Amino acid sequence: MSNLGTCESAGCNAPAKLQCPTCIKLGIQGSFFCTQECFKNNWKTHKIIHALAKGESVDTKKDAIYNPWPYYHFTGKLRPFPQTEKRTVPSHIPRPDYADHPMGYPLSEQAVKGSSQIKVLDDEEIEGMRVACKLGREVLDEAARVCDVGVTTDEIDRAVHEACIERDCYPSPLNYYEFPASCCTSVNEVICHGIPDTRPLKDGDIYNKHKNLVKVTYECLMKAIDIVKPGEKYREIGNIIQKHAQAHGFSVVRSYCGHGIHRLFHTAPNVPHYAKNRAVGVMKPGHCFTIEPMISMGSWKDEMWPDKWTAVTTDGQWSAQFEQTLLLWNNHDKLLLTTIRSFLLRYPYKEKMATKCKVNMDLFIKALLVISRLIQCICYFLKSAFCPQKPAKSVPPGDDPLLKLSATVLADKIRKRQIYSQEIIQAYIKRIKEVNPIINAVVEDRFEDALEEARQADKFLDDNPKKIDDLKTNKPFFGIPITIKEAIAVKGMSYTAGSLNRKGVKAEKDSVVVQRLKEAGLIPLLVSNTPEYCSSGETYNKIIGYTYNPYNTQYSSGGSSGGEGALLGSAASLIGLGSDICGSIRSPSVFNGIFGHKPSKKIVSLEGHWPTDDDDIFQSYLTIGPMARYAEDLKPLLKIISGPNVHLLKLDEEVDLSKVQVFYMEHTGNDFCLPKVQKEIRSAIKVAAAYLSRECHCHVSNRKFKELFDSVKIGSANFLNLKTYPNPFDDTDDALGDNGVLIYPCVQGSAWKLGAYFAGLPTAAYLGIANLLGLPATAVPTGFNVKKLPIGLQVIASPNQDRLTLAVAQELEKCFGGWQSTP
């Protein structure tokens, strides 16, 4: 009873300790439930396991429940029913090579697998396709005749099988990669490859309730057919289909595609149905292929039932499909050779790199990561052997009560005249002088100017008591101190971006964001350290040297906003401003136990940031964002620095967390190039998901974004200036929309040892995705690991949905306790 599992009740996913006593007696592993109520609600399904374990038969009509996978959480309402025995084909009927293969392997297809060469059919093969598809049309008609309410999909399969046998045809799907039936029947949320079973069709199944979905799917097919002609690129089909589907609010399934067909069931060309695909090939006379768009009401994402065939929508929304076989006959004509969704079974096709160049780039990136880790180990060994580190230190905890209040609380007290801005400024100046000799984060201060500005702020409030109420709305942080990354121009202050060549350079004017901060009444205290040109995973340059982690000075403070991270983690800053091009706000935030937000792309002005570039890609990757010890301070600060673009973020809209869809992933898979995510971080991600489900009633899903398993290449695109790369969030709006977030690791572990900055390169797999795709991401501290170093996670959302990540961060602050002082 001390073991911990996950509640098996559908949709629950909560941590669970209770186990079914009957299962324990029968030796059945698992069977966890979080509460007695969940156990009772799940009893009708769960008790079938007991009967099966005892060897008893299960009367599904009596129990009205059949579930061969009791631990699988279905995405929609459809459930499997018992299947009948696989049907046989008389020996006199010619059959494909996979028909009698013990694993159902189509050896003839596998012999040409990976080839992009498209076969041109000769006259004999063209005539063969005419005959085959004519017979297929007849079998389709036989299947359609038996479709009715109360008829089982197994009876449809029987009709298809018998119609094929009567025509001396082999039913193509049968035993193809061990598919157990003669057709597939895909009902409601099933996208494709549904296995026929004894479930009776119900009034309202797909064709009755969602006529518009079916209508639009058919229109997608016909519009795609309209462009088919010699010389047309196969990839254009997806552009046509997705444009029409999205115009009606539907999404296009990406995992399965049209394909070449002739003597081989599935072969080149591949015909994706979504836009901006990378399909290879141009249509020519003699090509024969299918177009078979699968259109869904909700997300385009799919997942597989445990039968390893039935593909369903991940959100349980319904999906529809039409299919047509086409043959280009000559330079002017095309033949439509009708096939059927439930007759020709399509083997799953996952989009792969289509050219040798792209494969080589994948290998290059992985090789680069492996080499970098080897270099890291060698360099770290040499440094440890010949350059012993200084004894570890940590900053002392701050004693002043003012250091333990958020900017939001302090600003309210300033407005109410319960405290003066000067007192706060003095408290932070004192703290900075106390800890900076330990962390080495300050490049240049402006303490005297800050004190004078605080005096002026206090005088304004004393002289204008009637204007105090207006400050809460227009200047929420009036009189509050702030620290700023040295790469962001503050007039008269150092402006080198850590470059020795720029030593002595001073900012001639404030950057746009600093202007906005000053206009809002904030008071800059200093500019903080950054690595040269903001281009390292730890904060070191030849002007200032290392900035150290306040919890253990033998470890990094992160980069490139490591100066800000160290000051905030030391309670030597209240709020700060950093910049992020590949996690440069988020990694220092989790390394130093604070909050940091990377805004959506092109929201915050970059004018006055160094380095800079007019390149549009650079402008999309880089963003300036807020850092803070308290989550509630992030949103007001983001509103200030966003300026005229703030309306795009809708930050004033209240977020109802009970309506937020929460996805979570603990890692990107078992890529040998990536260090494993520390168990404390994986655990924190699961705790965060469970907390949001329990306390906020969020709908939580641990569905895996399979495309994120290619994170190594995606994240590396920042460093290697790749123009093309797999895009897991090409349709993020379909996955996350305007109410979804993804809880994801920031980095694989806590801060690395000083000098081991090569360890930071693989973190691009987790951090770089948000920059590359312009997504908002908020770093959240989750406590400490066994080394007593801070760890954390990040919350990601769709573009311009920053309010969601910020709201979730505030809630998780309650869960994990937020920033915690050094012991």
Side-chain angles (χ1 to χ4, degrees):
M1 295 297 290
S2 61
N3 293 333
L4 182 65
T6 301
C7 183
E8 74 169 51
S9 294
C12 182
N13 294 324
K17 290 185 177 181
L18 300 177
Q19 285 185 274
C20 171
T22 304
C23 286
I24 295 174
K25 291 179 182 178
L26 294 173
I28 300 172
Q29 299 296 316
S31 302
F32 287 99
F33 295 90
C34 60
T35 63
Q36 287 289 346
E37 184 179 359
C38 265
F39 181 55
K40 292 177 181 178
N41 292 340
N42 204 50
W43 174 247
K44 284 188 177 181
T45 301
H46 180 73
K47 68 180 181 180
I48 296 176
I49 304 173
H50 304 157
L52 294 174
K54 295 174 183 177
E56 300 173 355
S57 61
V58 178
D59 187 345
T60 57
K61 292 184 178 180
K62 176 181 177 181
D63 293 331
I65 287 178
Y66 168 78
N67 186 0
W69 320 301
Y71 303 111
Y72 175 73
H73 295 293
F74 293 91
T75 63
K77 295 182 179 180
L78 192 70
R79 296 293 184 270
F81 275 61
Q83 300 170 13
T84 59
E85 293 293 324
K86 183 187 293 186
R87 294 179 169 86
T88 60
V89 178
S91 59
H92 73 275
I93 295 178
R95 60 195 64 215
D97 56 0
Y98 58 82
D100 298 316
H101 191 282
M103 303 298 290
Y105 291 159
L107 300 179
S108 54
E109 286 184 19
Q110 292 184 347
V112 295
K113 186 177 181 181
S115 173
S116 60
Q117 183 176 355
I118 304 172
K119 181 178 177 61
V120 176
L121 275 58
D122 58 28
D123 291 343
E124 181 182 353
E125 290 168 325
I126 289 172
E127 182 59 26
M129 285 303 301
R130 286 175 179 267
V131 173
C133 287
K134 177 179 180 295
L135 294 172
R137 176 75 249 182
E138 294 174 6
V139 173
L140 167 61
D141 292 338
E142 292 294 328
R145 288 189 184 98
V146 302
C147 289
D148 203 351
V149 174
V151 175
T152 68
T153 52
D154 181 74
E155 289 175 290
I156 297 173
D157 181 73
R158 177 188 54 77
V160 167
H161 186 86
E162 292 176 358
C164 288
I165 302 304
E166 288 173 3
R167 292 163 176 79
D168 286 339
C169 299
Y170 185 89
S172 300
L174 188 62
N175 204 48
Y176 186 75
Y177 284 95
E178 296 186 295
F179 188 80
S182 298
C183 69
C184 62
T185 51
S186 303
V187 181
N188 300 342
E189 69 260 31
V190 178
I191 296 170
C192 59
H193 306 162
I195 300 175
D197 57 26
T198 54
R199 175 192 184 273
L201 292 174
K202 298 179 180 179
D203 187 13
D205 280 347
I206 195 64
Y207 51 81
N208 200 16
K209 183 177 180 181
H210 297 295
K211 293 180 180 179
N212 190 47
L213 171 64
V214 176
K215 174 176 175 289
V216 171
T217 305
Y218 180 77
E219 291 170 350
C220 286
L221 171 65
M222 300 313 294
K223 286 180 179 292
I225 290 173
D226 286 343
I227 72 164
V228 173
K229 62 182 182 297
E232 186 65 74
K233 296 176 180 177
Y234 282 104
R235 64 172 178 252
E236 287 302 316
I237 288 174
N239 295 332
I240 296 297
I241 291 173
Q242 183 161 321
K243 180 179 179 181
H244 187 68
Q246 287 189 340
H248 290 80
F250 299 129
S251 64
V252 180
V253 174
R254 297 167 63 102
S255 297
Y256 306 96
C257 68
H259 52 85
I261 183 169
H262 36 78
R263 294 185 186 278
L264 302 181
F265 200 179
H266 299 83
T267 186
N270 292 314
V271 188
H273 305 115
Y274 57 90
K276 299 180 181 179
N277 65 76
R278 301 183 182 90
V280 176
V282 175
M283 300 176 193
K284 296 179 181 179
H287 285 186
C288 189
F289 57 95
T290 69
I291 301 176
E292 41 192 287
M294 285 150 271
I295 310 299
S296 298
M297 297 184 66
S299 171
W300 61 268
K301 304 280 188 176
D302 67 278
E303 70 178 60
M304 200 82 70
W305 276 7
D307 63 16
K308 298 182 180 179
W309 273 111
T310 306
V312 295
T313 58
T314 56
D315 55 7
Q317 297 270 20
W318 287 12
S319 182
Q321 178 193 18
F322 282 89
E323 177 180 339
Q324 194 83 34
T325 300
L326 297 99
L327 171 65
L328 284 169
W329 175 242
N330 55 43
N331 287 331
H332 303 286
D333 298 323
K334 58 196 173 196
L335 299 179
L336 305 184
L337 307 175
T338 304
T339 57
I340 174 177
R341 177 184 182 181
S342 56
F343 178 69
L344 285 182
L345 179 71
R346 288 154 307 285
Y347 181 64
Y349 163 79
K350 298 290 184 182
E351 185 180 0
K352 293 180 168 46
M353 292 299 174
T355 67
K356 186 175 180 180
C357 175
K358 290 174 183 174
V359 172
N360 288 341
M361 181 56 73
D362 279 346
L363 294 174
F364 169 73
I365 291 171
K366 293 191 175 184
L368 179 64
L369 288 171
V370 171
I371 292 170
S372 74
R373 294 187 68 190
L374 289 174
I375 293 173
Q376 170 206 339
C377 294
I378 294 170
C379 291
Y380 185 70
F381 172 78
L382 294 174
K383 182 178 179 181
S384 300
F386 300 104
C387 303
Q389 287 187 320
K390 297 177 181 179
K393 294 182 181 179
S394 62
V395 299
D399 296 328
D400 194 325
L402 291 178
L403 303 178
K404 299 178 182 179
L405 298 176
S406 69
T408 301
V409 171
L410 287 173
D412 184 63
K413 289 181 176 294
I414 290 174
R415 289 190 297 270
K416 293 177 179 178
R417 312 313 289 136
Q418 296 173 352
I419 196 170
Y420 282 81
S421 174
Q422 295 177 70
E423 297 177 66
I424 300 170
I425 299 294
Q426 288 169 344
Y428 275 96
I429 290 174
K430 180 182 178 182
R431 179 63 175 172
I432 292 166
K433 290 180 177 179
E434 180 184 14
V435 304
N436 194 58
I438 300 173
I439 61 173
N440 192 39
V442 178
V443 176
E444 186 177 6
D445 69 67
R446 58 187 303 276
F447 292 159
E448 291 303 319
D449 290 339
L451 285 168
E452 177 57 32
E453 289 165 11
R455 283 190 286 269
Q456 293 175 5
D458 289 332
K459 185 176 186 303
F460 174 85
L461 291 172
D462 290 337
D463 294 344
N464 299 277
K466 294 183 179 180
K467 295 183 178 182
I468 290 177
D469 291 339
D470 295 335
L471 292 178
K472 184 175 182 179
T473 302
N474 301 320
K475 296 184 177 184
F477 285 160
F478 187 81
I480 293 295
I482 186 170
T483 55
I484 298 171
K485 184 177 182 177
E486 197 251 9
I488 303 170
V490 179
K491 185 178 179 180
M493 303 296 288
S494 178
Y495 188 41
T496 69
S499 173
L500 192 60
N501 292 333
R502 289 174 57 87
K503 185 176 181 179
V505 173
K506 302 284 186 179
E508 296 180 357
K509 63 177 183 178
D510 288 326
S511 58
V512 170
V513 288
V514 171
Q515 290 175 14
R516 291 171 183 166
L517 292 172
K518 289 182 176 180
E519 290 169 1
L522 283 115
I523 301 174
L525 290 178
L526 55 82
V527 289
S528 60
N529 202 20
T530 182
E532 186 171 15
Y533 292 120
C534 306
S535 57
S536 176
E538 66 180 6
T539 299
Y540 167 81
N541 59 63
K542 292 187 177 181
I543 302 175
I544 302 299
Y546 277 109
T547 293
Y548 302 98
N549 191 295
Y551 294 86
N552 187 325
T553 55
Q554 291 185 344
Y555 288 83
S556 172
S557 64
S560 61
S561 304
E564 283 302 301
L567 286 165
L568 285 157
S570 304
S573 177
L574 180 57
I575 49 178
L577 209 59
S579 59
D580 192 313
I581 197 169
C582 190
S584 303
I585 286 174
R586 287 162 289 153
S587 70
S589 293
V590 297
F591 283 3
N592 296 280
I594 63 167
F595 295 88
H597 180 69
K598 186 210 92 62
S600 297
K601 69 177 181 180
K602 296 186 176 181
I603 292 294
V604 181
S605 172
L606 296 175
E607 185 178 339
H609 184 282
W610 184 269
T612 188
D613 196 299
D614 293 333
D615 179 72
D616 185 68
I617 295 177
F618 181 89
Q619 296 274 333
S620 297
Y621 288 177
L622 177 65
T623 184
I624 294 172
M627 303 170 72
R629 279 186 287 135
Y630 300 97
E632 66 176 345
D633 294 336
L634 293 175
K635 185 166 76 171
L637 193 52
L638 179 60
K639 290 175 69 174
I640 293 169
I641 63 177
S642 297
N645 292 329
V646 68
H647 69 282
L648 298 174
L649 304 183
K650 302 177 182 178
L651 294 175
D652 290 328
E653 287 189 9
E654 185 177 352
V655 176
D656 183 352
L657 289 174
S658 67
K659 296 180 180 178
V660 172
Q661 170 77 49
V662 176
F663 301 96
Y664 69 95
M665 285 182 65
E666 301 160 50
H667 52 76
T668 64
N670 297 317
D671 195 309
F672 74 96
C673 294
L674 291 177
K676 289 185 177 180
V677 176
Q678 286 182 1
K679 64 179 181 180
E680 294 96 338
I681 296 175
R682 299 198 307 269
S683 176
I685 290 172
K686 290 187 286 189
V687 168
Y691 176 88
L692 292 170
S693 174
R694 182 180 68 253
E695 299 297 329
C696 305
H697 309 292
C698 299
H699 178 71
V700 174
S701 170
N702 67 341
R703 175 169 66 85
K704 308 303 180 190
F705 289 80
K706 297 177 182 177
E707 295 84 352
L708 285 176
F709 293 165
D710 209 2
S711 293
V712 172
K713 180 176 180 183
I714 300 167
S716 300
N718 277 344
F719 298 113
L720 301 176
N721 196 28
L722 300 184
K723 301 300 182 184
T724 59
Y725 42 81
N727 189 340
F729 292 107
D730 190 26
D731 288 294
T732 298
D733 292 337
D734 285 341
L736 301 179
D738 59 2
N739 72 329
V741 298
L742 170 65
I743 300 178
Y744 200 49
C746 246
V747 292
Q748 294 93 333
S750 58
W752 46 74
K753 283 285 188 80
L754 291 173
Y757 57 88
F758 273 101
L761 189 56
T763 64
Y766 294 102
L767 293 167
I769 290 173
N771 298 87
L772 193 69
L773 305 176
L775 309 176
T778 305
V780 178
T782 60
F784 300 89
N785 64 5
V786 293
K787 297 178 182 178
K788 298 183 179 180
L789 291 170
I791 56 173
L793 53 80
Q794 63 178 326
V795 184
I796 301 173
S798 296
N800 297 346
Q801 305 302 324
D802 300 53
R803 67 188 184 281
L804 299 181
T805 68
L806 296 173
V808 171
Q810 277 192 251
E811 195 62 36
L812 293 181
E813 185 176 31
K814 302 174 187 176
C815 174
F816 294 106
W819 169 81
Q820 298 175 46
S821 175
T822 53

